[in-house]
Amino acid sequence: MLVTCGSHVALRTQHSDTLLAFGMRGDPTMYEHYWQQVGEKTTVVIRGWQHMSYFSDVSNICWFLEPELAEEIARVHRVVGNAVTEGRHIIVGTGSSQLFLAALFALSPRDGPEPVSVVSQAPFYSSYPSMTDCLKSGLYKWAGDAQSYSKEGPYIELVTSPNNPDGNVRRSVVNRSEGTLVHDLAYYWPQYTPISSPADHELMLFTVSKSTGHAGMRIGWALVKDQEVARRMIKFIELNTIGVSKDSQLRAAKVLKAVSDSSEHGGTWEGVESFFKFSYRVMAERWKLLREAVNSSRIFSLPEFPPAHCNFLNRVFEPQPAFAWLKCERDIDDCESFLRGHKILARGGKHFGVSPKYVRVSMLDRDNNFNLFVKRLSTIHL
Amino acid sequence: MLVTCGSHVALRTQHSDTLLAFGMRGDPTMYEHYWQQVGEKTTVVIRGWQHMSYFSDVSNICWFLEPELAEEIARVHRVVGNAVTEGRHIIVGTGSSQLFLAALFALSPRDGPEPVSVVSQAPFYSSYPSMTDCLKSGLYKWAGDAQSYSKEGPYIELVTSPNNPDGNVRRSVVNRSEGTLVHDLAYYWPQYTPISSPADHELMLFTVSKSTGHAGMRIGWALVKDQEVARRMIKFIELNTIGVSKDSQLRAAKVLKAVSDSSEHGGTWEGVESFFKFSYRVMAERWKLLREAVNSSRIFSLPEFPPAHCNFLNRVFEPQPAFAWLKCERDIDDCESFLRGHKILARGGKHFGVSPKYVRVSMLDRDNNFNLFVKRLSTIHL
């Protein structure tokens, strides 16, 4: 049976006039404010005759990767210290979604007797099951919660850390010899979680959507150790979209450069706060406001996270995730419906493979919307 | 068995220093010259804080389509008269490749007993088989040449007109009641073929790569009559890449606007030749040169096309396709190898489902490369 996928956009469309749609997609519009402060330094100018070819760099295995973007990806990881790029192939994708699909294609055994199982520990990113199963591929198949997975043979485990939706730091849980791992590190940035060490896995995924807030660019990247896996991922992107928008790659390079430049200047950068200081500060304020609202309501609860040292910010702090994983307490069994009754639209736990007592709410909306959400939440009483 | 797909990029990479790679991908760099003449009128300027959201227009069923692009797509078809847009949903894709896959997804019967057959009349676009079969989908399956297709039940027929690789005007050939059609009209523009009437099919695909030459943008669009088919195509793009680069959509809108503006001005447009007059003229010159070289060699032949009246250019002309479908005559059985021996790299007929006596050569390369190709071709003697 085909998985019916993603009714959230339709919902958002219906209700967009009523300001209900907190966190249906995690639209990172919070970051607009920072980039306005930065001003013209990240403006891109592209002329009609530029960047017309399919090809970006025929000497690179990833022939559609703009060299400027490759350089800035390596640099930002070096500056932040959140991932090892040495000895890795960098592959650009149309968002990390495309790279996730490319990874499934690349890691599936050739000519296996049946599709390889794809698992992830619940609660997992709600789009994983539908993305995996929508084409009924004979190469791979969604097999649910990694914690209850017990089949013999090859499998692919998706490790999202910090996790979407609940913000926890994750490690693989299946740990069998025939497994391969995909590390989705979209949120492994210092505004969300302490950077304890550079991630050093076989196949890691990142995206500008959640790091710099530029979701509309649709630019993600993979860091891949194995050359044959890299080659197959590139082949997938060739067959899927014949490469990735050059315009957005060039813009992403410029924005990542600004992130690195601003970080290297420490406190301020030509009068502008550094990107991660700004975004850390906004996330900290928002989590404080949200926790106050939740505590005053006595109806909801939020996960608690152990504090840890961040090598990049050189301070100890508790994770402040891009999503709030809100639980309805008492006898409220369907938190999504309950909140909808109070004009708050959030995604229920069943989308993430767990109880409907949970919902996911975006922490990255514009100030007005976030404040309205907290205000509405704090006025709910039983 | 998995189809091994697209070794052409690897070949291009290996040989890029020797100027051999004519037409491996049909890289439309010929058009750079025109856009240089146009100058700053098609320059896009995007600031760091602009277009950050995932969403473009939540009131549109295609929520990731930039309204400016939708407007310019409708306008250019109105100006050129090559497709009906009234009563159609416009869907933007990451190139028309993504829209081709979206169409297969949308047109496949739900819960069918077996994958639906996908067919196209040979010679067909060489990527169709590998794009269709690479994920071993349970929804659809490549079934080869439409002319020899005789199975009962539902099928999808791909109609590419003018055809890639051979430039012929095409109609569907299977014509059974349970078939659905995808019309790939990437080359239905007046520089390549006379525009006889506005195309008026259920599902039509276009791309800037071949119309304006901006392959690096990765922007294509579909015109779709049926709302449910449109909805499913949009769902596919959501699951595949969560929308399409906004930066490239905005740039595509600007370029298509220039095409329409220049066309409406007739002869010249602020001192610049109109886009289609330029591109028609270049294609006519190139086909003349190529036919001269082929005739002088006596080793090769080219298809002959009947002249027809073009409503847009208001003249009668013979098609002058974006690819030359070159045949090796006499006892040369493998035209691709033969040409490689003469330092010309082209794609052999077997990739397109026909005899290796044929090869496909791009007519859209930069002047220098095209001239070098014609020169090399004309010096080949047995």
Side-chain angles (χ1 to χ4, degrees), chain A residues 27 215-218 245 248 251, chain B residues 46 50-57 63-64 66 219 243-252:
Chain A
D27 204 20
M217 286 184 191
R218 313 307 313 121
S245 161
S248 288
R251 198 173 166 220
Chain B
I46 305 177
Q50 294 178 321
H51 314 296
M52 293 184 66
S53 168
Y54 286 103
F55 298 92
S56 292
D57 181 0
W63 55 269
F64 49 80
E66 287 292 316
I219 294 291
V244 175
S245 161
K246 285 189 178 183
D247 311 310
S248 288
Q249 286 191 63
L250 295 166
R251 197 173 165 221

Side-chain angles (χ1 to χ4, degrees), chain A residues 91 96-108 110 116 140 156 158 180-183 203-205 222 224 229 232-234 236-237:
Chain A
I91 306 173
S96 57
S97 298
Q98 187 178 38
L99 292 161
F100 164 73
L101 294 169
L104 294 189
F105 174 74
L107 296 174
S108 299
R110 306 301 86 204
V116 68
Y140 46 77
I156 298 171
L158 315 171
T180 49
L181 302 178
V182 176
H183 279 82
L203 198 167
M204 303 183 275
L205 305 181
V224 182
V229 171
R232 288 188 57 77
M233 288 180 70
I234 291 159
F236 176 86
I237 294 172

Side-chain angles (χ1 to χ4, degrees), chain A residues 8 10-25 336-347 359-362 365 368-370 372-374 376-377 380:
Chain A
H8 44 298
L11 282 169
R12 162 121 195 177
T13 307
Q14 284 166 24
H15 296 287
S16 59
D17 55 329
T18 58
L19 276 176
L20 286 172
F22 304 111
M24 297 314 276
R25 178 67 85 186
E336 182 177 331
S337 301
F338 177 77
L339 286 175
R340 192 182 290 128
H342 291 86
K343 302 211 294 176
I344 295 171
L345 196 60
R347 304 208 78 188
V359 293
R360 188 190 81 168
V361 183
S362 172
D365 212 325
N368 284 349
N369 286 356
F370 180 78
L372 185 55
F373 157 61
V374 170
R376 286 191 186 172
L377 201 70
I380 299 174

Side-chain angles (χ1 to χ4, degrees), chain A residues 265-283:
Chain A
H265 281 75
T268 62
W269 168 59
E270 302 181 24
V272 182
E273 193 175 13
S274 89
F275 175 75
F276 290 114
K277 285 210 171 147
F278 165 88
S279 47
Y280 171 88
R281 185 172 51 74
V282 175
M283 293 306 293

Side-chain angles (χ1 to χ4, degrees), chain B residues 119 146 149 155 157 159 171-179 181:
Chain B
V119 298
Y149 182 72
Y155 66 91
E157 181 177 352
V159 182
R171 290 175 187 283
S172 61
V173 298
V174 183
N175 291 323
R176 293 227 206 88
S177 60
E178 291 185 77
L181 302 177

Side-chain angles (χ1 to χ4, degrees), chain B residues 317-339:
Chain B
F317 66 94
E318 289 168 21
Q320 38 195 43
F323 292 105
W325 187 234
L326 199 65
K327 186 181 180 188
C328 277
E329 299 290 346
R330 309 211 207 169
D331 57 352
I332 303 164
D333 291 328
D334 183 343
C335 195
E336 181 178 331
S337 301
F338 177 76
L339 286 175

Side-chain angles (χ1 to χ4, degrees), chain A residues 71-382:
Chain A
E71 208 171 288
E72 294 301 337
I73 287 169
R75 181 175 166 220
V76 78
H77 285 307
R78 213 162 45 234
V79 168
V80 175
N82 64 338
V84 175
T85 60
E86 289 78 21
R88 260 74 175 184
H89 298 283
I90 297 175
I91 306 173
V92 66
T94 309
S96 57
S97 298
Q98 187 178 38
L99 292 161
F100 164 73
L101 294 169
L104 294 189
F105 174 74
L107 296 174
S108 299
R110 306 301 86 204
D111 303 313
E114 54 174 10
V116 68
S117 295
V118 179
V119 297
S120 188
Q121 181 182 351
F124 40 71
Y125 175 39
S126 54
S127 292
Y128 283 154
S130 45
M131 290 174 75
T132 306
D133 280 351
C134 256
L135 295 181
K136 291 185 177 181
S137 173
L139 299 178
Y140 46 77
K141 193 176 165 54
W142 180 250
D145 188 355
Q147 284 182 291
S148 53
Y149 182 73
S150 59
K151 220 174 125 186
E152 289 302 313
Y155 66 91
I156 298 171
E157 181 177 353
L158 315 171
V159 182
T160 310
S161 184
N163 191 41
N164 174 359
D166 68 6
N168 282 312
V169 173
R170 283 279 182 86
R171 289 175 187 283
S172 62
V173 298
V174 183
N175 292 323
R176 294 225 205 87
S177 61
E178 289 184 78
T180 49
L181 302 178
V182 176
H183 279 82
D184 183 344
L185 304 182
Y187 303 97
Y188 192 47
W189 295 97
Q191 67 268 51
Y192 304 127
T193 200
I195 303 300
S196 53
S197 66
D200 187 18
H201 308 288
E202 283 282 330
L203 198 167
M204 303 183 275
L205 305 181
F206 289 92
T207 168
V208 291
S209 304
K210 310 303 179 181
S211 52
T212 73
H214 290 86
M217 286 184 191
R218 313 307 313 121
I219 293 291
W221 63 93
L223 305 176
V224 182
K225 228 184 234 179
D226 184 83
Q227 171 143 326
E228 192 47 35
V229 171
R231 201 180 293 280
R232 288 188 57 77
M233 288 180 70
I234 291 159
K235 176 58 53 194
F236 176 86
I237 294 172
E238 245 183 271
L239 289 167
N240 197 220
T241 57
I242 321 185
V244 175
S245 161
K246 286 189 177 184
D247 311 310
S248 288
Q249 287 191 62
L250 295 166
R251 198 173 166 220
K254 204 138 194 176
V255 164
L256 289 176
K257 181 177 186 303
V259 167
S260 293
D261 285 349
S262 82
S263 298
E264 287 184 336
H265 281 75
T268 62
W269 168 59
E270 302 181 24
V272 182
E273 193 175 13
S274 89
F275 175 75
F276 290 114
K277 285 210 171 147
F278 165 88
S279 47
Y280 171 88
R281 185 172 51 74
V282 175
M283 293 306 293
E285 282 164 12
R286 290 185 170 198
W287 272 92
K288 187 167 166 284
L289 288 172
L290 179 64
R291 288 198 186 274
E292 283 168 4
V294 162
N295 291 342
S296 75
S297 80
R298 297 183 187 180
I299 302 170
F300 306 105
S301 68
L302 285 167
E304 298 290 336
F305 303 103
H309 185 261
C310 176
N311 294 336
F312 175 76
L313 291 174
N314 198 22
R315 64 193 293 173
V316 172
F317 65 95
E318 290 167 20
Q320 39 195 42
F323 293 106
W325 186 234
L326 199 64
K327 187 181 180 190
C328 278
E329 299 290 346
R330 309 213 206 168
D331 56 353
I332 304 164
D333 291 328
D334 183 343
C335 195
E336 182 177 331
S337 301
F338 177 77
L339 286 175
R340 192 182 290 128
H342 291 86
K343 302 211 294 176
I344 295 171
L345 196 60
R347 304 208 78 188
K350 66 182 178 350
H351 295 287
F352 305 92
V354 297
S355 157
K357 285 185 84 70
Y358 291 89
V359 293
R360 188 190 81 168
V361 183
S362 172
M363 298 293 286
L364 305 184
D365 212 325
R366 295 186 181 97
D367 281 343
N368 284 349
N369 286 356
F370 180 78
N371 292 336
L372 185 55
F373 157 61
V374 170
K375 194 175 158 193
R376 286 191 186 172
L377 201 70
S378 61
T379 58
I380 299 174
H381 298 287
L382 284 186

